[in-house]
Amino acid sequence: MDARDFHFVMIKPTHYDDDGYPIQWLRSAIPSNTLASLNGLAEAARNRNALGDNVRIHLHTYDETNKRVHPEKIAREIRRRGGKAMIALVGVQSNQFPRATDLARKFMAQGLQTAIGGFHVSGCISMLDEMPAEMVELQGEGVSYFAGEAEDRRLDQVFRDAWAEDLKPLYNFMSDLPSLEGEPTPILPSKHIQFTAGSHSSFDLGRGCPFQCSFCTIINVQGRKSRFRSADDLEQIIRDNYEQGINRFFITDDNFARNREWEPLFDRLIKLREEEKFDIKFIIQVDTLCHRIENFIEKATRAGVNRVFIGLENINPDNLLAAKKRQNKITEYREMLQKWRAHGATTYAGYIIGFPGDTKEAVLRDVEIIKNELPLDLLEFFYLTPLPGSEDHKVLLSKGIWMDPDLNKYDLNHRVSHHPKMTDSEWEEAYQEAWESYYSDAHIETVLRRAAAHKKGRPGNKLFLMMWFKLMVQCEGVHPLEGGYFRLKFRKDRRSGLPIESALSFYPRYIWEVVAKHWAYVSSTWRVYRIYRKVKASPDRHSYSDIAIKEIEKDSEEALAMIQETRGGVEAVAKTARDASIVKAAKKRAVAS
């Protein structure tokens, strides 16, 4: 045994399902960006001998969405190998905090120093006057917290304290957000790839957001001043990952279109793809005005962007204004989506249900409007959720308004507050029926027809993605962003406070669930696959058109239901016209002078 070894164990925890079992898969979707970032920073600390030349630093990474975590087994292995250790539960969101708490207590019981970081800790430290009771209780048991970001060699300090067995109760870097340029490559060991759905990874090129959306935590955790990596950083990230077979990436920036260096970044990717023939593809997130940036969409698709997530959030201007999302202009939605479609990108959008002006009838009407009038491929629905770290959460807390005390439900897939107009059941019904409506067989056929009509439409890809979204909600009861292949459940991993089920009760039900779900997968997929074959075989597939993909004059757009039937739609058009008139007059004055 060598006492000069230090083990740094990084674990990205999952969260519990409604029955109290960790949500885990044989193959999960996309690896954790936080885990990749921290692993890259830890590798850099190891390479520079952050604990001195005589201490060997060993790194261990676990993504609990696809790998079972055994605290006792990990502790035994550390004792067998010798040395000291620190457990880091990383990237912990509010819905993952209960699971992180259970894991932390098990590691502490094994005598291992444990710390928790991520959006829940950082958001609470940033926005609340006092630390929440569940955090205070865990801190009192010896668990440390890390608030903020670990760049700028901040791990060195944590490593030294852990080596001295003297972790501080709180490492608070929220007032000192670091630069990202020149920081180590976010990267995971290649062993993680075999547990994901493909050769995918994720990284960020920028953090922070200048907008003020009241439901958002990013602005209060990552700040309102944007910070970016350089084109050289991006190339190094791609090359390091490409060497180990990773060629599909999710760039997790909340809004890539607001990255002032977007063009040099895209140019570097274009060079890698077109000159060095790198087979790389990307998913990015943008706002609804990205098409107004000259050449942005053109260069994005040349750079390999084939899927784009758009923060649509709502089509009611009054709702957007109430949430302080003033940057979204419903008058721009159609043009923006049509431009992405013209360049062959698959479009996703997020849609929030539960703004103050919503009713069940209005929500379902708006979903129908989106289906009919916007050329959108995939739509993800979320409950309006007062996430710890957001302005919404702080306001409700200060007013003593009820919020569900179970943090495990704060996954945007559960209702955790009451609505001013809808009853609890109406809100829940609106959410479920919105999913059912958008992913009905009829609308899947419509999306496939739109795709088949375009030479870059990729209807097969649309079919796969739409069925993924439909089946995760319908069969697994989880949001598609948490989905994966083949759900795993382990009898003894149940949430603390819930009884461990007997083997005679647990295993027959689990087996039945697996059989029933896969029957639903097969039957639903076969039914929709027949629709796909019909669409592909249609002799007039290339001539298909509908109001969503058809270009219409601006004057005619004002007659759309999206304008006429939404709260504030007509006024939004009028405001757009006024703004355009002001800009035009200003240009005339400039020319005249």
Side-chain angles (χ1 to χ4, degrees):
M1 296 178 65
D2 188 347
R4 308 305 292 176
D5 289 304
F6 177 70
H7 301 272
F8 185 51
V9 182
M10 295 162 278
I11 301 170
K12 179 65 172 78
T14 183
H15 88 284
Y16 295 109
D17 64 18
D18 291 340
D19 294 323
Y21 292 100
I23 298 174
Q24 295 174 312
W25 310 92
L26 185 65
R27 297 286 184 273
S28 59
I30 298 177
S32 163
N33 169 56
T34 305
L35 191 60
S37 294
L38 193 62
N39 182 66
L41 295 172
E43 283 187 352
R46 177 176 63 185
N47 293 339
R48 64 174 173 267
N49 296 323
L51 290 176
D53 295 339
N54 296 323
V55 178
R56 294 188 297 266
I57 299 175
H58 305 278
L59 307 179
H60 313 268
T61 52
Y62 297 84
D63 185 341
E64 205 188 13
T65 62
N66 56 45
K67 186 173 180 61
R68 190 182 183 191
V69 173
H70 301 266
E72 297 81 5
K73 184 177 179 180
I74 292 172
R76 284 197 305 271
E77 180 62 17
I78 290 172
R79 286 193 291 267
R80 185 188 67 80
R81 298 179 64 176
K84 299 180 181 180
M86 174 186 169
I87 309 297
L89 297 163
V90 308
V92 178
Q93 301 169 7
S94 294
N95 67 85
Q96 297 160 348
F97 193 79
R99 176 60 180 167
T101 296
D102 285 349
L103 288 173
R105 285 177 171 147
K106 291 180 179 179
F107 281 114
M108 294 289 288
Q110 295 293 323
L112 295 173
Q113 302 173 96
T114 304
I116 298 178
F119 261 67
H120 183 71
V121 170
S122 297
C124 290
I125 296 296
S126 171
M127 292 296 286
L128 303 181
D129 297 330
E130 296 180 352
M131 192 181 291
E134 72 276 357
M135 287 180 61
V136 173
E137 180 181 359
L138 198 58
Q139 190 181 51
E141 297 173 22
V143 173
S144 298
Y145 294 122
F146 188 100
E149 299 169 7
E151 282 78 11
D152 199 21
R153 301 194 174 191
R154 291 168 182 175
L155 277 185
D156 292 20
Q157 176 186 345
V158 178
F159 281 7
R160 287 193 295 269
D161 291 347
W163 180 251
E165 299 183 339
D166 188 29
L167 281 178
K168 294 180 175 61
L170 173 64
Y171 294 86
N172 186 359
F173 295 102
M174 290 305 299
S175 62
D176 184 17
L177 298 175
S179 168
L180 300 181
E181 189 168 353
E183 288 291 339
T185 295
I187 194 166
L188 285 170
S190 56
K191 67 178 183 179
H192 285 271
I193 305 307
Q194 63 182 305
F195 297 111
T196 59
S199 50
H200 287 75
S201 192
S202 57
F203 60 86
D204 57 12
L205 291 174
R207 297 178 194 160
C209 178
F211 298 124
Q212 302 179 46
C213 308
S214 65
F215 54 80
C216 183
T217 60
I218 289 174
I219 55 178
N220 304 312
V221 172
Q222 296 183 349
R224 296 185 179 179
K225 180 180 179 181
S226 298
R227 297 161 287 131
F228 309 110
R229 300 186 196 270
S230 69
D232 288 341
D233 295 334
L234 170 60
E235 181 174 344
Q236 193 63 52
I237 290 171
I238 299 302
R239 290 187 182 277
D240 288 347
N241 281 278
Y242 202 76
E243 282 183 7
Q244 58 180 20
I246 301 172
N247 61 2
R248 299 293 184 265
F249 303 91
F250 175 29
I251 300 177
T252 62
D253 299 31
D254 186 57
N255 185 357
F256 194 86
R258 295 283 81 86
N259 188 324
R260 62 175 179 267
E261 299 298 321
W262 68 266
E263 193 161 24
L265 294 170
F266 280 157
D267 285 342
R268 188 66 60 91
L269 294 176
I270 290 170
K271 181 180 178 182
L272 288 174
R273 280 169 50 82
E274 297 182 358
E275 295 183 15
E276 299 192 41
K277 306 304 179 183
F278 273 49
D279 176 21
I280 46 179
K281 299 287 186 182
F282 301 90
I283 305 172
I284 64 171
Q285 301 183 110
V286 297
D287 61 26
T288 59
L289 295 177
C290 59
H291 63 297
R292 292 299 185 193
I293 304 172
E294 187 176 1
N295 292 326
F296 181 85
I297 291 179
E298 291 82 356
K299 286 202 170 186
T301 49
R302 279 183 65 196
V305 173
N306 65 345
R307 301 185 198 173
V308 57
F309 181 88
I310 301 143
L312 199 70
E313 316 307 7
N314 211 266
I315 61 169
N316 286 278
D318 288 354
N319 279 345
L320 295 168
L321 186 64
K324 299 185 180 179
K325 201 170 181 70
R326 297 178 178 88
Q327 67 272 23
N328 274 26
K329 312 294 183 185
I330 68 166
T331 52
E332 304 280 352
Y333 286 1
R334 275 173 53 83
E335 182 182 350
M336 177 267 300
L337 289 168
Q338 287 181 344
K339 194 166 185 179
W340 279 113
R341 178 178 182 271
H343 285 80
T346 297
T347 51
Y348 302 65
Y351 198 85
I352 297 174
I353 296 176
F355 284 114
D358 279 342
T359 63
K360 178 182 175 181
E361 294 73 19
V363 167
L364 298 180
R365 177 207 64 202
D366 292 350
V367 172
E368 290 300 315
I369 291 173
I370 292 171
K371 289 161 58 178
N372 294 330
E373 297 184 353
L374 294 181
L376 185 65
D377 298 316
L378 297 153
L379 191 57
E380 303 173 13
F381 298 99
F382 305 94
Y383 280 102
L384 181 63
T385 302
L387 292 169
S390 69
E391 180 185 339
D392 285 353
H393 178 270
K394 185 174 183 178
V395 168
L396 293 183
L397 189 66
S398 66
K399 294 181 177 180
I401 296 174
W402 181 85
M403 293 180 284
D404 199 305
D406 185 1
L407 287 173
N408 191 68
K409 294 179 180 178
Y410 284 68
D411 58 357
L412 312 183
N413 194 40
H414 289 80
R415 179 190 57 78
V416 297
S417 59
H418 300 307
H419 192 271
K421 288 188 176 181
M422 293 184 281
T423 65
D424 293 347
S425 60
E426 286 175 335
W427 194 359
E428 291 166 357
E429 288 166 3
Y431 179 78
Q432 291 298 328
E433 291 178 25
W435 280 108
E436 292 168 7
S437 173
Y438 194 85
Y439 293 94
S440 65
D441 288 357
H443 188 59
I444 290 175
E445 180 173 355
T446 297
V447 172
L448 294 179
R449 287 192 178 279
R450 291 171 183 168
H454 195 282
K455 62 181 180 179
K456 297 181 180 179
R458 300 182 296 154
N461 175 260
K462 304 293 190 295
L463 173 68
F464 170 79
L465 293 171
M466 292 197 81
M467 290 307 294
W468 176 282
F469 277 56
K470 176 185 179 75
L471 294 173
M472 286 302 106
V473 174
Q474 176 182 301
C475 299
E476 299 290 353
V478 301
H479 197 279
L481 297 181
E482 288 191 301
Y485 294 112
F486 198 92
R487 176 66 196 280
L488 301 176
K489 288 186 181 182
F490 299 98
R491 184 172 67 91
K492 294 184 179 181
D493 288 355
R494 203 173 193 193
R495 184 178 183 179
S496 63
L498 295 176
I500 301 298
E501 296 184 88
S502 71
L504 290 175
S505 172
F506 175 83
Y507 290 109
R509 187 177 68 254
Y510 176 51
I511 292 170
W512 170 247
E513 285 178 3
V514 170
V515 172
K517 288 175 183 177
H518 283 78
W519 173 252
Y521 291 161
V522 172
S523 58
S524 295
T525 302
W526 173 244
R527 186 180 67 251
V528 176
Y529 180 69
R530 285 187 294 174
I531 295 173
Y532 166 77
R533 290 177 60 185
K534 180 182 72 173
V535 169
K536 288 276 287 184
S538 175
D540 62 346
R541 55 176 283 195
H542 296 294
S543 62
Y544 174 83
S545 184
D546 60 30
I547 194 170
I549 61 177
K550 183 179 179 181
E551 291 188 21
I552 58 178
E553 297 296 327
K554 280 290 182 183
D555 292 344
S556 300
E557 280 192 343
E558 295 181 17
L560 293 173
M562 185 173 64
I563 303 300
Q564 296 296 324
E565 297 182 22
T566 58
R567 293 181 304 280
V570 173
E571 173 56 28
V573 171
K575 183 179 184 304
T576 298
R578 289 196 302 270
D579 291 345
S581 177
I582 291 171
V583 170
K584 185 176 181 180
K587 287 182 178 180
K588 281 187 177 180
R589 288 195 298 271
V591 171
S593 62

